[in-house]
Amino acid sequence: MLSLRARLTSSYILVSLICIILISVLANLFLERQFRQYIRDNLASQNKQLISLISRAYHPNSQWNQSDITEIGMNALTQGLIIKLQGTDGSVIWDATQHNNGLCQEMMLHMAENMLSRYPNWKGGYVENSYPVVKNFKEVGTIKIGYYGPFYFKDTDLAFINTLNEILMGVTVLAIFIALFSGSFIAKRLSAPIAKVIHTAQEIATGNLAARSGEKTNIKEINQLTQAINNLGNSLLQQEGLRKRLTADVAHELRTPLATLQSHLEAMIDGIWKFDQQRLKVCHQEILRINRMVAELEKLTRYEQENLTLNYTRFRSKDLFDGIAVTFEPELHQKGVELRISGTDPWITGDRDKLNQVFINLIANSLKFTPKGGCITIDVIDKPDTVAIGVKDTGSGIAPDDLPYIFERFYRADKSRNRLTGGSGIGLAITKAIIEAHRGTIAVKSEVGVGSEFIITLPKGLG
């Protein structure tokens, strides 16, 4: 199995090679086509120049300057052109093949060799074109220009195109080496931080929850991956702490009633205490306490399940909170705490019984920590898509260190676990589970010595 670095390097190099080869092939084809067109255009231009030069060698007295024609013909021969000049009556004035047939044959053979060296399957031959020679708007003869066709490369042309191809090949090879180097470098830059993140993830998987990756790069996705792994480690470390605390809390919650039961039963078995109704009542209360705790745990587990069944109904918020106010009226009066209900009276869609339990839990908590003369306020705000409900008190507040954990099972800010101020520690966990089952949210704001506010947001249109 290839490593990430090897895969990145090979992928980068493969893509680079494909691009380089594709560009090289396309560039070569384009240059080849343009060069062929240049050769054809240059050949046509040479023909025009020859016709112009030949016409200048004709004099008004119907005489041709043989020396000028010979010079023009020999120069043309060096350019790969074989000319034959005829008069208007068809007589031959000058013919390169008659002047130097051996040189003409040698030149044609050389041109063929040039073309075959470039194009092994090239099929060419002798081509001859006729053009009229005009002097003072009068046709004075005919020139036939022969060459190796359909076009040909001279030595300079062949040297140019070969040199150009060599340069292209050199650039291609250089580009391949650059691609190899840059591919390896880029793959290292990409794989090295990922490898460190993988190492951190492996450390966390083996139980080292304190392992973190401090890798910083210019790549957004790698930084996000690093942050995600570090957040995972923080979350697992936090959950590990909560798990240990949960175990200790459950043990503590069970230890007290079990110890009470054990001491009472042992005392009665040993004859220290008599079996009477009062002793059995104490044992019965402790058993009920354990049962309540187990029942609440079962209830929380049921609420946290994704397939929790909710019996949706539509009701007014005022009806819900007026009923809760009646329920708490004796306790509020006894403790001297005021309950206020303010805001609007929107329709709420949800499971009324379970939402009733939510607000009973919140008000019971607020009442527990609000001193005499304090106030608990339920504020209802009707929004376009949601209903926001705030439960605010003027109690002792929650310490900042405790705020992130108050919805955890068995977590209580009161570390003394006084039975007068703390229940089982499951109420807020159940509250959160019910709100999330309604696809809502619950948040808390608190200040020590000032009070706390729980803010619940329920979406409209449920059911």
Side-chain angles (χ1 to χ4, degrees):
M1 184 179 293
L2 293 175
S3 65
L4 175 62
R5 180 176 177 181
R7 287 185 179 274
L8 288 173
T9 302
S10 59
S11 298
Y12 180 86
I13 292 173
L14 179 61
V15 172
S16 299
L17 286 176
I18 292 173
C19 292
I20 291 169
I21 293 172
L22 185 60
I23 292 172
S24 298
V25 170
L26 291 176
N28 186 66
L29 291 174
F30 176 77
L31 291 173
E32 184 78 24
R33 187 180 66 177
Q34 291 298 109
F35 190 70
R36 287 186 181 186
Q37 187 60 44
Y38 162 77
I39 293 296
R40 290 189 178 96
D41 294 342
N42 188 53
L43 183 59
S45 177
Q46 285 180 323
N47 290 345
K48 290 181 181 179
Q49 290 178 0
L50 277 175
I51 296 170
S52 177
L53 290 173
I54 289 294
S55 66
R56 292 175 189 175
Y58 181 80
H59 297 287
N61 55 1
S62 301
Q63 297 293 326
W64 292 91
N65 191 324
Q66 289 292 332
S67 60
D68 289 347
I69 294 173
T70 301
E71 184 180 354
I72 294 169
M74 295 305 294
N75 286 335
L77 195 59
T78 61
Q79 298 298 318
L81 300 175
I82 300 172
I83 68 171
K84 180 179 180 181
L85 180 60
Q86 294 178 326
T88 54
D89 56 357
S91 59
V92 177
I93 299 171
W94 195 87
D95 189 349
T97 57
Q98 294 179 2
H99 186 79
N100 194 336
N101 186 59
L103 183 58
C104 292
Q105 294 295 328
E106 184 180 349
M107 184 270 294
M108 290 294 292
L109 180 61
H110 184 67
M111 292 301 176
E113 290 175 351
N114 281 353
M115 298 306 290
L116 288 172
S117 68
R118 177 69 184 171
Y119 310 107
N121 297 322
W122 180 262
K123 294 180 180 180
Y126 184 74
V127 176
E128 188 176 73
N129 295 320
S130 297
Y131 304 94
V133 180
V134 179
K135 182 75 172 184
N136 296 329
F137 305 102
K138 179 182 177 182
E139 186 175 334
V140 296
T142 301
I143 182 172
K144 294 182 178 181
I145 303 175
Y147 56 90
Y148 186 85
F151 63 90
Y152 61 90
F153 290 161
K154 295 181 289 186
D155 290 347
T156 53
D157 298 331
L158 191 62
F160 172 79
I161 194 67
N162 287 337
T163 301
L164 186 62
N165 284 332
E166 290 173 0
I167 293 173
L168 277 174
M169 182 62 68
V171 170
T172 301
V173 173
L174 180 62
I176 290 173
F177 278 110
I178 293 174
L180 290 171
F181 174 77
S182 61
S184 178
F185 177 75
I186 293 173
K188 183 179 180 181
R189 288 286 301 274
L190 288 173
S191 62
I194 294 176
K196 293 181 180 179
V197 173
I198 292 173
H199 176 72
T200 301
Q202 290 172 338
E203 286 289 308
I204 293 174
T206 55
N208 182 14
L209 300 181
R212 297 293 181 272
S213 175
E215 193 67 23
K216 296 292 183 182
T217 70
N218 296 325
I219 302 172
K220 178 181 177 181
E221 288 75 11
I222 293 180
N223 289 335
Q224 290 176 338
L225 176 62
T226 302
Q227 187 64 37
I229 291 297
N230 289 339
N231 290 342
L232 175 63
N234 292 334
S235 178
L236 290 175
L237 189 62
Q238 184 182 85
Q239 291 299 319
E240 176 68 10
L242 290 173
R243 184 186 65 80
K244 292 179 179 178
R245 176 165 183 149
L246 174 62
T247 303
D249 288 345
V250 172
H252 186 280
E253 294 293 338
L254 292 175
R255 185 184 300 114
T256 302
L258 289 175
T260 301
L261 283 171
Q262 181 180 352
S263 62
H264 280 61
L265 291 173
E266 286 178 351
M268 286 186 285
I269 292 172
D270 293 340
I272 300 174
W273 288 348
K274 294 181 179 180
F275 280 94
D276 57 23
Q277 185 176 4
Q278 184 63 30
R279 304 296 183 189
L280 293 175
K281 187 176 181 180
V282 171
C283 293
H284 182 255
Q285 288 175 346
E286 295 300 330
I287 292 173
L288 290 178
R289 182 182 173 193
I290 295 174
N291 282 336
R292 282 195 300 271
M293 187 185 309
V294 173
E296 287 183 341
L297 281 173
E298 290 177 344
K299 186 187 298 183
L300 176 60
T301 301
R302 186 171 66 254
Y303 286 164
E304 288 179 338
Q305 291 176 352
E306 294 182 359
N307 58 351
L308 173 65
T309 302
L310 298 176
N311 298 316
Y312 287 98
T313 58
R314 196 163 180 262
F315 52 90
R316 287 284 190 180
S317 63
K318 188 175 184 302
D319 295 339
L320 176 67
F321 296 123
D322 284 348
I324 293 175
V326 172
T327 301
F328 279 96
E329 187 174 357
E331 297 177 43
L332 292 167
H333 179 73
Q334 181 181 0
K335 196 169 182 180
V337 175
E338 181 184 2
L339 177 63
R340 298 175 185 170
I341 302 174
S342 62
T344 57
D345 182 24
W347 286 95
I348 296 176
T349 302
D351 190 317
R352 180 164 180 164
D353 290 339
K354 291 183 174 61
L355 290 177
N356 187 71
Q357 181 179 353
V358 165
F359 292 105
I360 287 176
N361 287 345
L362 293 179
I363 294 171
N365 279 344
S366 295
L367 185 59
K368 206 176 295 178
F369 296 99
T370 301
K372 183 177 181 179
C375 179
I376 300 173
T377 303
I378 301 175
D379 188 26
V380 183
I381 302 174
D382 188 11
K383 297 182 179 181
D385 299 318
T386 59
V387 175
I389 305 168
V391 179
K392 187 175 182 179
D393 62 55
T394 56
S396 57
I398 305 170
D401 292 342
D402 293 319
L403 277 176
Y405 310 108
I406 60 171
F407 294 108
E408 299 294 334
R409 303 178 184 187
F410 292 106
Y411 190 91
R412 289 189 299 191
D414 176 24
K415 304 299 189 297
S416 66
R417 300 179 182 274
N418 188 335
R419 294 189 187 184
L420 298 177
T421 60
S424 63
I426 301 177
L428 287 179
I430 292 176
T431 296
K432 182 181 179 184
I434 293 174
I435 295 301
E436 289 180 348
H438 282 79
R439 299 200 294 275
T441 61
I442 182 169
V444 60
K445 296 188 296 184
S446 186
E447 185 176 348
V448 176
V450 177
S452 305
E453 181 179 12
F454 288 84
I455 303 166
I456 292 173
T457 302
L458 294 173
K460 293 182 177 178
L462 291 173

